[in-house]
Amino acid sequence: MSKPTADWERVGDRFYRKIQLYTAVFDQDLELENYVVVGAPYSGAVAIYRDEDKLQAYRGTQAAKSSIDLYSCAGKLIRRINWDKGSIRGLGWSEDEKLLVVTNDGVVRCYYDLQGDFIPFTLGHGSEEHGVKACRFWSSGFVALLGNNQLVSVSRYDEPRPKLLATPPADEIVSWALIPPAYTLSRSVEVLLAIGQTIHVVDASECEDRMLQNGPFKHISVSPNGKFVALYTDDAKVWVISSDFQNRLSEYDSKVKTPPKDMQWCGNNSVVLAWEDEVHMVGPNGAASKYYYNSWVHLIADFDGIRLLTNDVCEFLQKVPDVTEETFRLGSTSPASVLLDAVDQLEKKSPKADDNIQLIRPNLDEAVDICVKAAGHEYNIHWQKQLLKAASFGKSVLDLYNSDDFVDMCENLRVLNAVRFYEIGLPLSYEQYLRLTPESLVQRLLNRCEYLLALRVSEYLRLPTNKIYVHWASQKVRISNEDEESICRLIVQKLKGKRGISFGEIARAAYDEGRGRLATELLNYEPQAGKQVPLLLNMEEDSIALDKAIESGDTDLVFHVLLHLKKKLPLASLFRTINSRPMAVALVESSAMDQDWELLKDLYYQDDRRLDGSNLLLAEALAQTETTPKIEKLRMAAKLLQDSRENAFQVKAIDEEQRLLRMQDAFDKDLADQHNRFAGLSVNETMFRLIKMGSAKRAQRVVSEFKVPEKTYWWVRLRALVAKRDWHELEELSKTRKSAIGWEPFFEEILGAGNAKLASTFIPKCTTLPPAERIEMWVKCGLLVRAGEEALKAKDMNSLEVLRTKATGSAVHEIDRLMAQLAPNKR
Amino acid sequence: MAPHASINTQDIADKARRDLLQLLEGVRGKKNLVIEKALAGPVGLFVKFSTLQEYGVDRVFFLENDNVDSSQRNVIFLSRAEKAKQAQSIAGQIKRLRRTGSTDHEFSVFWVPRRTLVCDQILEEAGVLGEVNALEFPVYFVPLEKDVLSLELDDSFSDLYLRKDPASMFLAARALMLLQQSHGLFPRILGKGDNAKRLADLLTRMRSEQDVTSSADSSAGSIPSRLGLTPSMAIDSLIIIDREIDLPTVLLTQLTYEGLIDEVFTVQNNQAEVDSSIVGAPPSQNTSSSSKDASQPSKTSALKRKIQLDSSDKLYAQLRDTNFAIVGGLLSKVARRLQADYESRHKANQTTSELRDFVAKLPGYQAEQASLKVHTSLAEEIMKHTRSDLFSRVLEVQQNLAAGSDPSIMHDNIEELIARDCPLTAVLRLLCLESCIANGLRPKDLDIFKRSILHAYGHQHLLTFAALEKIGLLTARTTSAAGYLLPTAGSGGGAAGGGPRVTNYNAVRKTLKLIVDEVNESDPNDIAYVFSGYAPLSVRLVQAVIQKTALAQSSSATRGLAATAPPASAAGTASQGWTGFESALASIRGATVDETQVGSSKDAMRARSVLAGGGGAGQEKTTVVFFLGGVTFAEIAALRFVAAREEGRRRIVVATTGIVAGDRVVGAAIEKRGFGAS
């Protein structure tokens, strides 16, 4: 077995390694130099299409048909997307392996799986007129450069919102790059434009000139962590500066006359320049290393390294991870490397194994950790095993060791080796795997229709498998030629008893494929009512959709269906549909009450709900400002109810209101008072105001017109007079023989208004009350002597004594006198 | 090793705050916040305005005012998404800003608690969906207290019972599902009322759907919670009370301190707005809460003062649940103690260390003193109210009606109140109370009252009556409903629907002992103290589940039951459900719910029960009581009283769609417009 260090190379003081991932990648006939090649992040798929700017040999009509071809890293064709939609100005990938294709006319097609299905959207912002010149992508978005130098950014693909960035100068742009929003201070994407001698930084709000003099810069590249920028100057030098343009970190002179065709970062610490068949790797401090190929080479940058792609090989170039360097570097005496050696000795049954262990005893746990980690970074299965063996040996010596990391690493490596296999072609590095997450890895396998492996991986890592089944079934529905019944049977049979299967999604796939009946059948297996609704609406199964929405209890869904129906159906059939469904009726009523009374009227009319209809007219009458239309509406409201007996009360009341309004109108004319209009007052309030204004006669007219009960009238009169403080009139009233409400209220109200003297005149009239209360009433008026007299009449000694304590001044004597009057009688 | 923690309301508040701040952080730079009025209060419960400012909120506008300006580039709307109205308003304002504003705005909408299809549709129709960054702010329950969770949906009562719009029920189900996700399934769901049944069904349905949703959502990275599928160890049951089954309790005047504050001043989101002439001007540092709307220093803030009413105020925590009759005494006791403490400084100024102790306590004194001052003035104001003739009249009628005396005797009283122009809400509460207890008024009486009310308060109240009838608050007694005298006929007819249509109060009053004649207000021995003699039916139902013996003993009519019901041990009670009170339930309207939720995996269940076997019995369990349609402060007080009796064995957490009081319930029906010109 060759040593792992065989493919290492020293650049400056660091080691870099170039791992050969796959050989015989592309067909030898494929002229890679004429193709644009872009690779998805995290060792994802590679998309290639023929570069339109380059000449190509004429090979008859068949080959001239252009296409975008998706390959795995091992050169396996995943999908060929035939292309006839115009000139491609941007091709890129998102983190979750969505392929974005931007055409000249500003249309973006987002291919969300690797199977050729796409969602289009347009960039807008003048992209149609000016055309798209180029695009730069980051993990979840991209920026398009338009013909007029405007920049449009899209930061998400699920709900794309193209936004115009600040306007840069109109001069020619030599090269450009972007800093992803996650790494900028403003949290908005920043674009670096090389214009003339300098670089402009453009974000959402402003465009700033960085005032450099050494341009024009042929290439700009931003490091994966957004901290550094590499610039390729006109005089063949590479500069590495910090992305805030404050520090120049290193400089490298390539001494090559022709500018490179590409410059990319390899990890965060070196820059790779590519000419047609030559690659320079520039490490820190300008140290460099050169690689030569015998065919055209393409660069595909990833966050922890760079993939180099030629017709023959796919290689991964990265800085040797620290743990690996520590373990394998020639002459290394680190504990990990000693431990690795110990395992070697152990296999040779040499006692040196134990010597080694004793040597590193104090650092053994560290050595084990490092061996585990180094195994993760290793591509070669032999060395993975060797390192894990070493770790296992080491931890058997340790008394206490938490093996979780070791176990996890074994599991992860098994998964990694499985997906690195050339038929799958996902050469993930360990770091990439951690960042990608196992769930996304499974998703990538699904996109490649590798169901068995996806299932195995999910089960092995204890991830949910339901999505895999759903994806499989959807795909089955799309491509299967069998008749619908047997497909349905097959799917149901396979997925029966599996938890969390969304049949709605499968049905949606069937429907999209035009298999309506199959979709309906599958939908019956969907447990979530809500999930069925959108598809049912698409399938025009409106009433079923409504039922399912109601079943789900989600009012939003019901509303959604109702809005849909309202747009689609004539009113009459809408009402017929909702009629038998009380919840739907309630929701329509409730929302129409806020927005659309006409609809409500129609609804009530259709359902013959006269009382509701009449009430609606009543509400409309309330909304009117003038008296005449008010009365008109009321008349209509009453008319609606006229022929039904049970609403007689309602009709009468509405009638009354009309008369009241007319009457008030008359009052308003007679007693012209702009600020206090009668219109709108109630019957009692009208009387109240009339009395208060001293117009008792008119009040009497109201009484007779509306047959106001006597008691009510007395109360209103009393309150109005008190409010008016018309003591004279009240005194007159006190002379009447009888009051419909008794005299006590008079006492209370007048006293409450502060006129104790007048109030007291009503006390003797309250003959029905017990003496004790009358005594209390006198006291409230402050007339203790009268209270005493009352007590004397009632022969209530106790009250007198109480009064005696309250009394002051002459009243004391008076009460004494009264007590004396009472006392002898008692004796 | 209990995998389910018991419900901690603070966690819910913390999560809501974190979520909101994270959302705010997602919008870079300074921003203007446009908030729906009804949300301002709930949001204020868990995040301070100053914190919002730290997160870049420059000014706050109310959505309803439609006055957001272009002073900031970023504009954030915070609004509920269930109603179309808000979405339309948002669309309108975005359009306005786009038309008039010179700046290129960035719009974000945070939908509470979820983004709905309808709102998307409305924004789309208005042509603004494309430029709006729509996000969800998933806040469902907001904690009002350590034991009170509320959805704070102001309209839930009118939505549910007047408009029959079940949106709040759906939100409630979502909220309860979230509780179950973090604390485990409710082992038993009990409930009373047709809507309670619907809610329970919805919960069952959601649970079966949970499987699919949680795994479908796992694409977003969240691992499906397996905990959610097993019955909770910390919670023993959920009791759902449909407001509809116990409307009289809402209609009665609450007589606890907190209840009366609500009746007199209205408490919203733990705050009462009180005229500053009563409680004095706010202390100067209190600017954070009152200046919510910085854009327009409202005139009201000068006259009104917001008073925070929660348990952070120690004095209030003592007073809130007591009967108002004893509040005066308690206040003077505290005043005397404070006085004595303060006086003690004269004795204590001997040594410097004693002095230092005293000074250390000073801030506490000052806070207590300030709170004492506020509550004394509040109590005085309430006293003015309770001493009034109208109040005692109303109370008299209420007590008589509740006790079941012949309602017609009260009619003169009610007529007089109408003639005296007593507030319409008070009159309607009395009429509705009578109607609810006697299952409708005689049609003749009803017409007379309607006429008097139309005359006194205006004919627009024809609409009020229509609404009240729709809610079922004020109805005419029909011949068929008169069958309430024969409860068997009612239950027989409603068997398909799962319960009788009307409540037979004569029977329930006895079986559940709703009327308690001797109430000791200062040292209460029964929940009836909250209404000075009437025990709320809703809380009696809760007692029927968790305090069977106490209820059976106190109830004379079911004396035999105490013997038949097995002794209620702490662990045993919940599993019995309604046992022992079936007959009482049969005479209450609406369906009865009793469901047991078992985990999906039997093995896990068994393993869990084995694990819990030893230590589980002594553990404190939580009972969640959910009031669909709202709860009154008096009922909360009564439930706290019940919980205090169960201390150590059981906690009660009250959850609700919102806090209600009689005035607001009746007010939902009242037509506010008049026939006036404007």
Side-chain angles (χ1 to χ4, degrees), chain A residues 643-661:
Chain A
D643 23 333
S644 61
R645 273 233 344 253
E646 66 261 39
N647 293 322
F649 178 82
Q650 191 92 0
V651 175
K652 217 176 121 205
I654 298 174
D655 210 46
E656 247 179 24
E657 176 61 26
Q658 292 178 48
R659 276 184 287 145
L660 181 63
L661 279 172

Side-chain angles (χ1 to χ4, degrees), chain B residues 371-387:
Chain B
S371 129
L372 181 65
K373 199 174 134 212
V374 166
H375 288 294
T376 315
S377 354
L378 278 183
E380 249 168 39
E381 185 64 24
I382 294 172
M383 198 84 86
K384 253 186 237 166
H385 188 77
T386 54
R387 288 252 172 92

Side-chain angles (χ1 to χ4, degrees), chain B residues 2-42:
Chain B
H4 301 300
S6 68
I7 298 172
N8 182 354
T9 51
Q10 190 57 41
D11 291 348
I12 298 175
D14 287 347
K15 184 181 173 296
R17 181 171 49 241
R18 268 200 313 275
D19 284 351
L20 178 61
L21 296 182
Q22 208 168 5
L23 283 172
L24 285 175
E25 220 173 8
V27 179
R28 288 279 140 184
K30 287 242 173 201
K31 45 233 160 191
N32 281 339
L33 183 67
V34 186
I35 191 167
E36 187 190 334
K37 255 185 195 154
L39 273 175

